[in-house]
Amino acid sequence: MVESDVHFCNSCGEQVGVDANGEVFVACHVCYYTICKACVDYDISEDRKFCLRCCTPYEEDRAKANGDTKVSENRSTMASQISNSQEVGSLHARNALNVSAASRELNDESGNPIWKNRVENWKEKDKKNKKEEGAKNEVPIIPPGQKMEEIQPSEADAAEPLSVIVPISKTKLSQYRFVIITRLIILALFFHYRITHPVDNAFGMWLTSIICEIWFAFSWVLDQFPKWYPINRETFIDRLSARFEREGEPSQLAAVDFFVSTVDPMKEPPLITANTVLSILAVDYPVDQVSCYVSDDGAAMLTFESLVETADFARKWIPFCRKFSIEPRAPEFYFSQKIDYLKDKVQPSFVKERRAMKREYEEFKVRINALVAKAQKTPDEGWTMQDGSPWPGNNPRDHPGMIQVFLGHSGAHDMEGNELPRLVYVSREKRPGYQHHKKAGAENALVRVSAVLTNAPYILNLDCDHYVNNSKAVREAMCFMMDPQVGRDVCYVQFPQRFDGIDRSDRYANRNTVFFDVNMKGLDGIQGPVYVGTGCVFNRQALYGYSPPSMPNLPRSSSCCCCPSKKASKDVSELYKDAKREELDAAIFNLREIDNYDEYERSMLISQMSFEKTFGLSTVFIESTLMENGGVPESANPSMLIKEAIHVISCAYEEKTEWGKEIGWIYGSVTEDILTGFKMQCRGWRSIYCMPLRPAFKGSAPINLSDRLHQVLRWALGSVEIFLSRHCPLWYGFAGGRLKWLQRLAYINTIVYPFTSLPLVAYCSLPAICLLTGKFIIPTLSNLASALFLGLFISIIVTSVLEMRWSGVTVEDLWRNEQFWVIGGVSAHLFAVFQGFLKMLAGVDTNFTVTAKAADDAEFGELYIIKWTTLLIPPTTLIIVNMVGVVAGFSDALNGGYESWGPLIGKVFFAFWVVFHLYPFLKGLMGRQNRTPTIVVVWSVLLASVFSLVWVKINPFVTRVDSATIAQTCISIDC
């Protein structure tokens, strides 16, 4: 247990002690890294005159402490904080003794932890052995002058930052913020006018419009203010190489584990997955630091066999890419480029080798396609492997865990005899009766199996249809992660998503340029971009639920809600668990420094610390979570590691643990990416947005209208699920105070935007209602009202223009984004709201089927495939209703005379506003061959007709005129 008046050194495990003033000794006044004075003096004597955590020189730190009274005040303040925190921790620890029996097992009769006594005994034995060996193996002493000469270049390199923030021009940013504030003021005046000037003869329509406009203004605030401080970043890959890849020395770059997830090879073509894997294996990074894990969540033999072929082709493809610096390193997309491939290729053999490699790739494609053709029909007895044994994954819902290492550990080399990166096939165990949590569960299984086999400190996850387009993308991320000044508190580096196979006009806003080039840059200036599911480099420690190094661990129960927990015992146990984690970290660290300690004692120590409740019953995996710099123990037996890897992907491993709740990918939503990033940033981590000039990753699948709407439906449904869960940003994570309020606004926007569909559908219906009834939602405009309306429209336009200036997006990108906001809002978002409430409250899971019809177009043909889906009905109905309203409005104007044309202009303007925003939908619905599904037209016309008939019968928004008023009007008419 942690004692109230003692603080232990993170280097030797001894007590920190006090300084000359009787206060707790503090070595570094920048990060307050806990280390004793003896270790500091030893480091200085060995010319390591800087803090181990933040690299601040000790001499400068001490000079400031001696010469500045403020520093000494901070020092005493910090000492008191440490003392206070220890007293609180001790209080909780004493209470925890009553609820946890493990603490009694860890202490001896005198109250000291047992592991400390064991470590001391091992230390004494180790010192005796080392004294005997010291006389035999004497190391020559390097003169201090020579040592300083060798250290100086590295210190000079270390002083140069690996990345810099490139802020937006102050002029552009000041103008942008001024317009935002001006628009906010105009909105306030606009709503004051709208509320104080009701329309009496159409009160219902006026009230509906007011409610819709207030919600739109609230949505604008949530979307606009997180873009208050946008920034750009610049990386220096050459400095990274100079610092960590010195000539004649082994590379010091950190290892990276790549995750590729796939489920159904019939929907996710194996050739696309193979290209993604090949682009990873050929990445410009040290081969011994790269490992690629492919998760086959469908346990398909087709995926396994295609990876066998991919591993064989990689032996030829990788040396070709490295020799000629090929970009991109996915062969399908490299050979399909319509550029001069001879540019910048000066080697005479390039043309010959390129032709040979293209021929090899065509043969590889033939083999993959043959496997796909063979897999079209499953044999009655199931698939069998080459040795005649049945394929274990014949039943995708009931099969054991499977792991196969293709490259790396198997000793395979490429055609030139060079080492290859690791390639590992993983299919987690699945059994009936267990909840497997789809993609989030598969990613968590990869986290565990990779920790056992390679344990790289960083993880990069990609979808199976996203290939590495920039071979230096990992180095770009390492410029942030490995920078001691920047990367300490960074949980992930997010890259933007870019896509191939989309037409130039980007009809359905597939590229999502406004989000990736505007919103994400704005978030990067606050606490970092949100996690978008792919193209992201993670700090493994952040996935394990640890807090940033610069902050103490938060009790998990206190970080969940703004209200204090009602279960005091749970708070105590969480604090106890955090205290045990710190003790175990120190214990394992000390054990690693001893050569002859007992493995059984180590496993018993881990077991007694009750870490199984958090990470599961695997001592190998638990120890890997404490290795901040990654790596596998040198004494590990490969066969033992494979057995342990099979154990951690079993379907029952996560039972009664924190997986999916506090660590790993978080469960509870189909958009587990947003939820996972949100949990990390609530703990105090920050993220970074990296936009290299050459896009790091690219998606390869074109999306037609129906598929695009279903993609948006899935995203919106995930947001509704988060809104209805305990992780809702409206109330989650207030206790720690580590999530900035602008960042919280951004997360609130990500979960409430689907609800905008309700006022949006109502607002898009109002123009048709106004045209059919002859009424309007706005009274006769005065000069003040006209000025307010004009100022509002001008501020909207100016805001967009200034965003284009600092972000680089085009007018077409903004307009496409605006159009699809309306299209998605009146279709996918609307269905997501109802589906989410039915699923979360009533347990009913609805499904909107998609049926495809073929397209004849060769280029971008898939974009024009027409698929029947229920999502097509609401937008089509709105278009028909507004067109009918326009026709009815012009008919009334022709019969009403000259005076009726003035009011008609405003109504028709709003109707055409709706039609113009839905125009891409209408164009996509018609297709190039005008093959609109008949069922869509029938349903839409039927709904529009019913709407018109019901309106004529009920007419709810128009003031009723009684017969007396009609008679009085008739009397006043001069016949």
Side-chain angles (χ1 to χ4, degrees):
M1 300 300 297
V2 179
E3 302 175 8
S4 61
D5 56 346
V6 178
H7 210 63
F8 294 100
C9 175
N10 285 324
S11 180
C12 66
E14 301 292 342
Q15 297 180 8
V16 173
V18 296
D19 57 11
N21 299 326
E23 300 172 348
V24 177
F25 178 76
V26 179
C28 178
H29 295 279
V30 177
C31 68
Y32 298 100
Y33 184 60
T34 308
I35 188 172
C36 65
K37 188 175 185 300
C39 291
V40 173
D41 294 337
Y42 177 77
D43 287 342
I44 293 177
S45 66
E46 293 294 325
D47 289 330
R48 292 192 295 268
K49 302 179 182 180
F50 51 85
C51 177
L52 297 177
R53 172 176 284 182
C54 66
C55 299
T56 302
Y58 281 136
E59 292 183 352
E60 295 181 7
D61 191 55
R62 293 188 172 188
K64 292 179 181 178
N66 296 331
D68 193 348
T69 57
K70 293 183 179 180
V71 174
S72 62
E73 293 175 1
N74 294 336
R75 182 174 177 177
S76 60
T77 303
M78 183 60 191
S80 62
Q81 289 177 354
I82 293 175
S83 177
N84 293 337
S85 64
Q86 290 172 348
E87 291 176 1
V88 174
S90 176
L91 176 62
H92 287 288
R94 287 193 293 271
N95 293 334
L97 288 173
N98 298 324
V99 298
S100 176
S103 60
R104 289 192 291 269
E105 298 176 1
L106 289 173
N107 292 345
D108 58 13
E109 296 178 355
S110 60
N112 294 324
I114 292 176
W115 67 264
K116 290 183 181 178
N117 298 334
R118 292 173 180 168
V119 171
E120 291 297 330
N121 294 334
W122 281 320
K123 276 185 176 181
E124 292 178 2
K125 296 179 182 178
D126 198 48
K127 287 179 180 177
K128 293 180 180 179
N129 295 334
K130 289 183 177 179
K131 284 181 179 179
E132 295 176 357
E133 296 177 359
K136 300 179 181 179
N137 303 322
E138 293 185 357
V139 180
I141 300 176
I142 302 175
Q146 182 179 349
K147 188 180 296 185
M148 289 298 295
E149 291 177 0
E150 294 177 355
I151 292 176
Q152 285 177 355
S154 62
E155 291 181 352
D157 294 339
E160 295 182 344
L162 300 179
S163 64
V164 294
I165 295 177
V166 183
I168 308 298
S169 170
K170 290 185 178 180
T171 304
K172 296 179 181 179
L173 207 55
S174 300
Q175 294 173 353
Y176 182 62
R177 293 172 178 174
F178 175 77
V179 172
I180 291 175
I181 298 299
T182 303
R183 183 174 172 181
L184 195 62
I185 296 173
I186 294 175
L187 270 175
L189 297 175
F190 171 78
F191 281 119
H192 178 267
Y193 170 80
R194 292 282 281 129
I195 294 173
T196 56
H197 292 76
V199 182
D200 295 329
N201 63 346
F203 186 81
M205 289 192 295
W206 170 82
L207 182 61
T208 302
S209 66
I210 288 294
I211 295 173
C212 295
E213 289 164 2
I214 291 176
W215 180 264
F216 294 151
F218 172 69
S219 300
W220 172 77
V221 169
L222 292 180
D223 181 69
Q224 190 68 60
F225 278 88
K227 297 181 284 189
W228 186 258
Y229 186 65
I231 61 171
N232 295 312
R233 294 183 185 271
E234 183 180 356
T235 57
F236 304 99
I237 299 179
D238 53 342
R239 296 180 184 177
L240 180 76
S241 299
R243 184 178 300 184
F244 297 105
E245 293 182 299
R246 297 180 179 179
E247 188 176 355
E249 298 180 6
S251 174
Q252 300 298 319
L253 290 175
V256 180
D257 287 340
F258 288 78
F259 292 174
V260 179
S261 56
T262 182
V263 180
D264 188 352
M266 294 303 173
K267 296 180 180 179
E268 301 161 338
L271 185 62
I272 298 298
T273 304
N275 272 270
T276 300
V277 172
L278 289 170
S279 67
I280 292 173
L281 298 178
V283 73
D284 183 8
Y285 208 70
V287 292
D288 58 331
Q289 305 287 40
V290 174
S291 301
C292 179
Y293 292 83
V294 179
S295 171
D296 179 17
D297 221 29
M301 189 173 178
L302 173 57
T303 303
F304 180 84
E305 290 185 336
S306 65
L307 278 183
V308 175
E309 295 290 344
T310 303
D312 184 62
F313 180 72
R315 297 184 177 94
K316 308 169 187 176
W317 175 250
I318 293 175
F320 172 74
C321 291
R322 294 183 182 277
K323 181 177 180 180
F324 297 108
S325 300
I326 299 300
E327 294 286 359
R329 300 192 176 181
E332 179 69 23
F333 304 96
Y334 168 68
F335 290 120
S336 62
Q337 290 182 115
K338 297 180 180 179
I339 60 173
D340 182 12
Y341 63 86
L342 294 177
K343 185 179 181 181
D344 300 329
K345 298 296 185 296
V346 295
Q347 295 91 334
S349 62
F350 172 68
V351 175
K352 181 180 179 181
E353 293 191 32
R354 184 184 186 276
R355 290 174 181 171
M357 185 53 59
K358 188 174 183 179
R359 184 169 58 252
E360 293 281 355
Y361 177 64
E362 293 298 329
E363 295 175 358
F364 168 72
K365 289 173 63 176
V366 170
R367 294 193 295 271
I368 295 293
N369 292 331
L371 293 175
V372 174
K374 179 183 176 182
Q376 295 294 328
K377 186 178 180 180
T378 305
D380 296 334
E381 66 278 6
W383 298 106
T384 57
M385 295 185 288
Q386 292 182 356
D387 59 357
S389 58
W391 171 249
N394 278 323
N395 186 348
R397 298 183 180 179
D398 186 4
H399 65 85
M402 295 178 284
I403 295 177
Q404 175 66 47
V405 180
F406 290 109
L407 300 175
H409 290 297
S410 61
H413 294 80
D414 61 23
M415 299 297 292
E416 299 180 357
N418 299 319
E419 184 182 355
L420 289 171
R422 300 175 183 88
L423 175 60
V424 185
Y425 169 87
V426 179
S427 182
R428 58 182 173 142
E429 181 187 17
K430 287 191 175 181
R431 301 297 180 190
Y434 288 93
Q435 177 61 262
H436 299 102
H437 302 288
K438 299 181 180 179
K439 181 182 177 181
E443 295 287 350
N444 284 338
L446 288 181
V447 171
R448 295 191 295 271
V449 72
S450 64
V452 172
L453 296 180
T454 52
N455 196 32
Y458 302 108
I459 294 171
L460 195 158
N461 80 300
L462 289 173
D463 290 341
C464 62
D465 60 347
H466 276 70
Y467 63 92
V468 181
N469 183 65
N470 184 349
S471 62
K472 298 184 182 296
V474 183
R475 295 177 180 270
E476 296 276 355
M478 290 302 109
C479 286
F480 302 107
M481 289 295 196
M482 298 189 69
D483 192 328
Q485 301 299 326
V486 178
R488 294 171 56 246
D489 295 340
V490 175
C491 56
Y492 59 83
V493 175
Q494 178 67 62
F495 291 87
Q497 293 185 19
R498 306 299 186 198
F499 298 94
D500 290 324
I502 300 175
D503 58 337
R504 293 180 59 187
S505 62
D506 192 14
R507 182 184 300 175
Y508 313 128
N510 285 309
R511 294 190 177 95
N512 216 351
T513 308
V514 173
F515 174 76
F516 287 112
D517 290 11
V518 179
N519 296 56
M520 297 286 267
K521 282 184 179 180
L523 291 177
D524 198 18
I526 309 173
Q527 201 170 342
V530 297
Y531 168 43
V532 296
T534 184
C536 188
V537 180
F538 283 96
N539 183 336
R540 189 184 284 269
Q541 293 292 312
L543 283 172
Y544 289 154
Y546 290 105
S547 294
S550 61
M551 298 182 181
N553 279 332
L554 275 176
R556 291 194 177 93
S557 58
S558 66
S559 65
C560 293
C561 184
C562 57
C563 303
S565 175
K566 296 181 181 179
K567 298 181 179 179
S569 61
K570 184 176 180 181
D571 292 342
V572 172
S573 63
E574 292 291 348
L575 286 171
Y576 170 75
K577 185 184 297 182
D578 290 334
K580 288 301 168 192
R581 177 174 296 182
E582 293 179 2
E583 285 198 24
L584 179 60
D585 197 355
I588 297 296
F589 178 82
N590 288 326
L591 289 180
R592 289 199 204 100
E593 299 298 319
I594 302 171
D595 295 335
N596 55 349
Y597 69 92
D598 191 352
E599 284 286 339
Y600 175 75
E601 295 284 351
R602 178 188 62 83
S603 62
M604 287 298 297
L605 175 64
I606 292 177
S607 176
Q608 289 175 349
M609 302 303 287
S610 300
F611 261 54
E612 303 94 333
K613 296 180 181 179
T614 301
F615 295 110
L617 299 173
S618 173
T619 56
V620 175
F621 174 74
I622 290 174
E623 185 173 358
S624 72
T625 64
L626 300 169
M627 303 171 67
E628 293 186 6
N629 297 323
V632 178
E634 297 180 358
S635 59
N637 185 359
S639 61
M640 182 270 293
L641 292 181
I642 290 292
K643 184 182 297 184
E644 196 69 21
I646 291 291
H647 169 57
V648 298
I649 61 173
S650 60
C651 57
Y653 185 83
E654 295 183 356
E655 295 292 323
K656 298 181 180 179
T657 66
E658 296 293 330
W659 285 101
K661 301 173 185 176
E662 297 295 334
I663 61 177
W665 271 257
I666 306 301
Y667 305 149
S669 172
V670 294
T671 53
E672 69 285 335
D673 45 6
I674 296 292
L675 200 53
T676 302
F678 174 64
K679 292 274 287 187
M680 291 180 184
Q681 294 189 335
C682 282
R683 296 190 189 105
W685 292 94
R686 68 180 311 273
S687 56
I688 282 181
Y689 196 49
C690 183
M691 293 183 64
L693 294 178
R694 180 180 179 86
F697 311 102
K698 277 192 175 183
S700 57
I703 302 175
N704 55 62
L705 176 60
S706 303
D707 289 340
R708 173 68 165 143
L709 289 178
H710 274 268
Q711 182 189 57
V712 173
L713 171 65
R714 184 175 62 83
W715 294 342
L717 177 60
S719 297
V720 175
E721 290 174 342
I722 297 175
F723 177 80
L724 298 175
S725 71
R726 72 183 185 93
H727 292 115
C728 178
L730 289 171
W731 52 73
Y732 182 89
F734 278 95
R738 297 181 176 183
L739 191 68
K740 297 182 179 180
W741 69 274
L742 283 179
Q743 193 80 11
R744 187 175 296 278
L745 282 183
Y747 275 110
I748 292 174
N749 186 42
T750 61
I751 63 156
V752 302
Y753 77 88
F755 297 98
T756 306
S757 60
L758 300 174
L760 188 59
V761 170
Y763 211 74
C764 289
S765 303
L766 284 176
I769 297 174
C770 293
L771 289 167
L772 290 173
T773 60
K775 306 298 181 181
F776 202 34
I777 58 176
I778 300 175
T780 303
L781 295 180
S782 62
N783 293 334
L784 176 61
S786 300
L788 287 175
F789 275 97
L790 183 62
L792 184 61
F793 279 109
I794 292 176
S795 65
I796 293 173
I797 294 173
V798 173
T799 303
S800 301
V801 170
L802 293 177
E803 280 188 358
M804 289 189 295
R805 288 185 62 192
W806 63 256
S807 66
V809 299
T810 63
V811 177
E812 186 178 15
D813 292 328
L814 286 175
W815 176 237
R816 290 299 187 202
N817 181 76
E818 181 75 14
Q819 286 180 316
F820 205 81
W821 174 74
V822 176
I823 294 171
V826 299
S827 57
H829 297 171
L830 181 66
F831 279 83
V833 171
F834 290 107
Q835 185 178 356
F837 275 96
L838 287 173
K839 182 178 180 181
M840 301 299 292
L841 302 180
V844 179
D845 192 3
T846 57
N847 184 27
F848 305 103
T849 57
V850 178
T851 304
K853 294 180 67 176
D856 296 334
D857 300 79
E859 187 177 9
F860 307 118
E862 294 186 35
L863 284 170
Y864 306 106
I865 295 177
I866 303 302
K867 296 184 179 182
W868 156 243
T869 172
T870 319
L871 301 178
L872 301 178
I873 295 177
T876 309
T877 303
L878 286 174
I879 291 176
I880 294 176
V881 167
N882 278 278
M883 294 303 294
V884 170
V886 170
V887 174
F890 276 102
S891 300
D892 292 340
L894 290 174
N895 295 329
Y898 176 77
E899 294 182 355
S900 60
W901 286 95
L904 177 65
I905 295 176
K907 304 173 188 177
V908 172
F909 172 80
F910 283 106
F912 276 111
W913 179 90
V914 175
V915 174
F916 286 153
H917 278 77
L918 295 176
Y919 173 72
F921 172 85
L922 181 63
K923 189 175 180 180
L925 190 66
M926 299 302 293
R928 286 194 175 180
Q929 292 81 26
N930 296 326
R931 293 181 178 179
T932 305
T934 306
I935 187 67
V936 174
V937 178
V938 171
W939 270 102
S940 302
V941 173
L942 179 62
L943 288 176
S945 303
V946 170
F947 170 78
S948 302
L949 292 174
V950 171
W951 182 268
V952 171
K953 181 65 178 175
I954 300 176
N955 203 4
F957 291 139
V958 181
T959 304
R960 299 293 182 184
V961 182
D962 56 10
S963 57
T965 305
I966 297 176
Q968 184 67 31
T969 304
C970 292
I971 294 173
S972 62
I973 296 177
D974 187 3
C975 296

